[in-house]
Amino acid sequence: QVQLVESGGGLVQAGGSLRLSCVASGRTFSRYTMGWFRRAPGKEREFVAALTRIGGITAYEDSVKGRFAISRDNAKNTMYLQMDSLKPEDTAVYYCAATDKICARTTYDYDYWGPGTQVTVSS
């Protein structure tokens, strides 16, 4: 098993930036494909970005392409989400997740989840 904890959320004005972190503990971090998801008020949890455990391939939801960047530091057991040019519609609780699948873009693909961190973007 792996335990995940997010941090770095907060309140930011539109156009600003935040960097989220996800620290993993437990089993070997490098064996997992990692993902970020978010849930906005009144909406379903949705995919944001993923970084595969093999090849380091990234994938992004269309609305965040060019603004968000996912990365990982296996030596620190940490994954990051750099969020730039933030918009009010990015307001949500952001969750990190882990899976031993190579490619994973849906909530059903992931086995382990953090408790989430709130991101609020004011207009």
Side-chain angles (χ1 to χ4, degrees), residues 13-88:
Q13 288 189 328
S17 298
L18 283 173
R19 188 175 82 155
L20 305 183
S21 298
C22 172
V23 177
S25 60
R27 300 188 70 177
T28 306
F29 178 67
S30 61
R31 67 172 286 169
Y32 293 102
T33 287
M34 300 298 296
W36 286 100
F37 289 75
R38 64 186 180 188
R39 177 179 283 162
K43 295 187 176 181
E44 297 290 319
R45 192 175 301 195
E46 67 172 1
F47 171 79
V48 175
L51 180 55
T52 62
R53 63 182 179 88
I54 296 176
I57 299 169
T58 58
Y60 296 93
E61 192 270 330
D62 286 346
S63 70
V64 308
K65 284 180 181 177
R67 300 189 298 121
F68 290 12
I70 187 172
S71 62
R72 66 194 295 166
D73 185 338
N74 288 340
K76 295 182 178 180
N77 288 354
T78 303
M79 173 180 66
Y80 305 97
L81 185 68
Q82 178 66 41
M83 305 187 296
D84 298 322
S85 302
L86 283 161
K87 304 176 181 180

Side-chain angles (χ1 to χ4, degrees), residues 2 32 97-101 107-113:
V2 62
Y32 293 102
T99 177
D100 58 8
K101 294 181 174 67
T107 57
Y108 302 104
D109 291 325
Y110 288 83
D111 301 304
Y112 306 103
W113 293 85

